Amino acid sequence: MSKRTEKEKMLAGELYYAFVDELAAERASCAGACQSFNKTTHTTPRLERANLFRAILHQPPLPPTTPSSTLCQEPWIEPPFTADYGYNTTISPDVFINFGCTILDTCRVTIGARTLLGPNVSLFAAAHPLNAKTRDGLRGPEYGAPITIEEDCWLAGNVTVLPGVRIGRGSTVGAGSVVTKDVPPGCAVAGNPARVVRVIEEDAVEVFPRGGGRKVLEIPKPGTATTGEGDLKVLMRRLERLEAEVGEVKDELKMRMS
């Protein structure tokens, strides 16, 4: 059996050495692609801008004949944008990423359709050993774990997502939060570490008062069911929230007892 490369170990989420020639060259190539994209402005033609970003992700360019209906579904990314490798990141249609996003895609990073990322969001699929002797500066190994952000999520400004986290569909992460564990679908989380602060009911109506702010009315939209299947969905979301809160309490107890 042939010896596995450091890249193969990296992609498998195992300990690997990042400063071998192959991986260093790939990071340098991605840095060059990011630099080219980051020179674009709002006056840069949409097709050119889209293709420069696709180069970061190692995707084939769109042809000059691409219809506007296809082009408008391409992710909209505000520069500057930074990634480690690019080929380990998948960004679905209708995604918006604001200024200053950093993605350390040692392992797979997936961003679902219609997701919004605020300014300075950081997705860290890379990590280092806690033991200083093992970590050993530039000579030691590192590792990673995948990050998955499902469809219709919103991560506000300065959010940090750590390795191995999955954020469930339709969830919101408050500004400045550090997400260290999975977020259930349809929840709002905030804090460091991020905790569930409310369940987002699908049928709730948001009201934006003239004086500013936001108020959520827990009432169904017209034409939606209020009993039967609708009630079951609400109960399931509440159960997921309770399970998340119980998990947080258990983790806190373990930390205090250790």
Side-chain angles (χ1 to χ4, degrees):
M1 181 180 295
S2 60
K3 184 179 178 181
R4 300 175 69 204
T5 66
E6 298 305 312
K7 180 175 179 177
E8 289 172 334
K9 296 175 186 176
M10 177 187 79
L11 296 175
E14 302 171 3
L15 286 172
Y16 75 99
Y17 292 90
F19 291 94
V20 296
D21 290 344
E22 179 184 23
L23 294 178
E26 289 183 344
R27 290 194 300 275
S29 175
C30 184
C34 289
Q35 186 176 32
S36 296
F37 171 76
N38 290 337
K39 293 178 181 178
T40 64
T41 68
H42 283 279
T43 62
T44 305
R46 181 77 169 96
L47 179 62
E48 179 183 349
R49 187 167 169 160
N51 281 337
L52 285 170
F53 189 76
R54 290 173 73 90
I56 297 173
L57 306 186
H58 291 240
Q59 295 177 341
L62 298 170
T65 55
T66 301
S68 58
S69 59
T70 299
L71 191 57
C72 70
Q73 294 181 19
E74 285 288 296
W76 186 281
I77 316 297
E78 294 286 0
F81 174 89
T82 305
D84 255 353
Y85 296 96
Y87 58 73
N88 259 350
T89 295
T90 300
I91 301 177
S92 301
D94 293 327
V95 166
F96 174 74
I97 298 178
N98 216 324
F99 310 102
C101 181
T102 299
I103 300 180
L104 303 187
D105 54 348
T106 293
C107 287
R108 174 64 56 186
V109 174
T110 304
I111 302 175
R114 299 172 301 280
T115 286
L116 309 176
L117 271 57
N120 302 312
V121 166
S122 298
L123 309 179
F124 296 154
H128 299 273
L130 294 180
N131 183 281
K133 289 184 178 180
T134 303
R135 196 164 56 241
D136 197 22
L138 295 178
R139 293 181 296 275
E142 55 189 83
Y143 67 99
I147 290 174
T148 301
I149 302 171
E150 297 182 356
E151 297 87 353
D152 300 301
C153 292
W154 172 29
L155 278 62
N158 295 298
V159 164
T160 299
V161 181
L162 299 188
V165 165
R166 173 181 289 270
I167 299 177
R169 180 172 184 170
S171 286
T172 296
V173 182
S177 298
V178 178
V179 187
T180 62
K181 61 180 66 175
D182 289 356
V183 176
C187 286
V189 301
N192 180 7
R195 297 176 180 272
V196 176
V197 295
R198 70 172 297 132
V199 174
I200 305 170
E201 309 293 356
E202 276 189 3
D203 295 332
V205 177
E206 285 189 275
V207 178
F208 298 86
R210 183 173 296 178
R214 176 192 290 116
K215 184 176 182 181
V216 179
L217 305 179
E218 302 293 348
I219 58 176
K221 295 178 182 178
T224 57
T226 57
T227 57
E229 184 179 354
D231 286 343
L232 181 59
K233 288 181 178 179
V234 171
L235 289 172
M236 290 298 292
R237 280 201 181 85
R238 290 175 178 166
L239 179 60
E240 288 174 346
R241 178 180 177 181
L242 286 171
E243 289 175 342
E245 291 176 346
V246 168
E248 290 169 357
V249 171
K250 287 182 177 178
D251 290 344
E252 190 169 336
L253 287 173
K254 287 180 181 177
M255 291 178 62
R256 291 182 179 181
M257 295 174 66
S258 61

